[in-house]
Amino acid sequence: MAFNALRQDLKGCHCGLMPRQNPQGEADRLEAATDQAIGACGGDVRAALKAAIVANEFLESEVCELMQAVLRAYVCGRFKTYTG
């Protein structure tokens, strides 16, 4: 229940959790980021892909740790449920 309230609070957030309204702008941003990643790896697409996989695994572990911390705090009563 508290997570639904949190999701409502995040509706205006553009931090990657919600789809953006401009698909063409998003495609352009993705193309630029891809070119930048490949360039950072000296033009080696395979190295850029490996770097992206490593970064993704790191972020997944960070999300997992944060979810566990939130769950512990919720279970310990540090978060109150939103009643509207």
Side-chain angles (χ1 to χ4, degrees):
M1 295 222 243
F3 293 108
N4 288 334
L6 178 60
R7 187 180 346 189
Q8 290 295 333
D9 290 341
L10 290 175
K11 273 194 173 177
C13 179
H14 295 288
C15 56
L17 297 175
M18 304 292 173
R20 292 198 169 104
Q21 298 298 322
N22 183 355
Q24 182 58 45
E26 180 65 15
D28 293 343
R29 187 194 67 78
L30 185 57
E31 285 295 324
T34 301
D35 291 341
Q36 185 178 14
I38 293 170
C41 292
D44 186 349
V45 176
R46 191 170 173 85
L49 180 58
K50 286 180 184 179
I53 291 169
V54 168
N56 191 54
E57 288 175 348
F58 171 76
L59 292 173
E60 285 177 351
S61 70
E62 288 288 303
V63 168
C64 184
E65 288 179 24
L66 289 171
M67 288 175 65
Q68 289 174 352
V70 168
L71 179 61
R72 279 192 300 271
Y74 186 77
V75 168
C76 292
R78 294 186 192 136
F79 291 132
K80 304 297 181 208
T81 56
Y82 180 74
T83 58

